[in-house]
Amino acid sequence: MAIHRKLINKYKPEGERGFLGAGHLARPVIQVGYRESDPFILLMDDMLDKKDSEPVGGPHPHAGFETVTLLIEGELGDGKHKMKDGDLQQMTAGSGIIHTETIEKKARLRLLQLWLALPKKDRWTAPRVQDLRLEAVPVSSVDGAQTRVYSGNFAGVQSPLLNYTKIIIADINIKPGGEFKQQLPAGFTTFMYVIDGDLKIGEDERLLTKDEVGWLDRFDHDQEQSIVQLKGGEKGARIILYAGEPQHDEIVSHGPFIGDSSEDIQRLYQEYRQQKMIHINDVAPGQQIIY
């Protein structure tokens, strides 16, 4: 018998003033414990309406995990790693890097930034950055929806992105009244965030509306497939779907670092202070991938 996934938890995250100051609204999308969200550590929905030319942001370190940034609106960064609407960047901090996010002019942007756990065996892997341009994102148009698959194999298409942790990230636009039914591994932690419109989820058609987060039930059958069934509301819906394989490892989180123990965190702060971490733009050319 096929496993049909159900919506078991939903909520609407409230915005709060972000670290970039005036005009920065940040919504913490993940509001469940890590055992429920594994391998997803946190996800921030950052909206910035910057009306002056004072620089904000700056260089900062990361280690022990990956950041996955999906730019919903605007432009971010410069040079070959500059992002525009619909681009995604996956940065493997691994053993430790310095990353710079500085905005020096008036700007209006919205981005979703995910912190993704690395498998324990890959925690301290060599840093890597992958830029997936919008025009290189595989698109599937089936079942009353258009789906951009940024990561993983989903809806009949495969993203080129290289992953240590098995994840699926998809931007799904469902037509008004359109029905969408696709397979996902039953053991993958799965949630979706509604960017616009509303939709009904599962055979019981539970409603999820704009700005709400919905978590699906999860099973122990790692190799078995399950069915995700969605139906667009009167105006349709746009959602970002995240699904990933749990790692089942305890992690320690402190500031910009993720480790297996508090000793890891102390070591990472020491390495940062001793300037042993390189900038992500300076990693080996083979570790900078642009699609």
Side-chain angles (χ1 to χ4, degrees), residues 20 41 200:
L20 295 177
I41 301 168
K200 295 176 180 178

Side-chain angles (χ1 to χ4, degrees), residues 6-239:
K6 294 181 179 180
L7 178 66
I8 59 170
N9 182 20
K10 71 173 185 175
Y11 52 82
K12 186 175 182 178
E14 296 298 323
E16 52 194 45
R17 180 166 174 161
F19 66 92
L20 295 177
H24 182 196
L25 184 69
R27 287 185 188 147
V29 175
I30 293 179
Q31 297 185 7
V32 301
Y34 181 65
R35 289 190 178 182
E36 296 174 70
S37 68
D38 178 10
F40 306 115
I41 301 168
L42 66 81
L43 176 63
M44 297 301 297
D45 179 4
D46 289 299
M47 289 164 277
L48 179 66
D49 187 5
K50 186 173 178 293
K51 299 183 182 299
D52 58 46
S53 299
E54 283 293 316
V56 294
H60 52 275
H62 287 305
F65 66 105
E66 295 182 291
T67 63
V68 187
T69 303
L70 175 59
L71 192 60
I72 302 294
E73 175 189 356
E75 293 184 351
L76 183 65
D78 52 29
K80 64 181 179 180
H81 296 299
K82 183 176 181 177
M83 299 177 67
K84 63 182 187 306
D85 291 21
D87 290 350
L88 179 140
Q89 182 183 87
Q90 182 159 325
M91 185 180 68
T92 305
S95 59
I97 52 89
I98 305 295
H99 186 221
T100 303
E101 290 174 316
T102 303
I103 302 172
E104 298 180 338
K105 58 184 180 181
K106 293 180 181 179
R108 183 179 179 86
L109 58 85
R110 182 181 185 183
L111 60 88
L112 299 176
Q113 186 171 94
L114 171 74
W115 285 23
L116 175 67
L118 284 164
K120 191 171 184 176
K121 65 182 178 60
D122 299 312
R123 178 89 65 222
W124 314 119
T125 192
R128 178 176 71 190
V129 60
Q130 299 178 81
D131 291 290
L132 180 57
R133 307 296 191 219
L134 175 63
E135 53 269 23
V137 179
V139 178
S140 170
S141 296
V142 293
D143 294 345
Q146 183 186 74
T147 305
R148 291 193 178 101
V149 178
Y150 284 91
S151 181
N153 188 336
F154 184 63
V157 295
Q158 172 75 53
S159 166
L161 212 65
L162 303 175
N163 286 318
Y164 290 102
T165 301
K166 294 179 182 178
I167 60 166
I168 294 167
I169 301 175
D171 184 343
I172 306 172
N173 281 271
I174 308 176
K175 299 174 184 177
E179 295 188 1
F180 176 85
K181 185 184 292 186
Q182 292 293 328
Q183 290 189 335
L184 276 177
F188 274 26
T189 301
T190 305
F191 71 96
M192 52 193 74
Y193 185 35
V194 184
I195 303 299
D196 200 13
D198 59 74
L199 70 157
K200 295 176 180 178
I201 300 175
E203 292 182 307
D204 54 356
E205 297 192 342
R206 288 197 62 190
L207 183 66
L208 199 65
T209 63
K210 184 178 178 180
D211 297 331
E212 285 190 322
V213 183
W215 294 81
L216 304 188
D217 51 356
R218 182 176 64 187
F219 298 84
D220 294 330
H221 318 301
D222 291 336
Q223 305 304 317
E224 192 168 345
Q225 291 294 308
S226 64
I227 295 172
V228 174
Q229 184 173 318
L230 311 174
K231 185 176 182 179
E234 289 186 2
K235 296 182 179 179
R238 180 186 179 189
I239 65 168

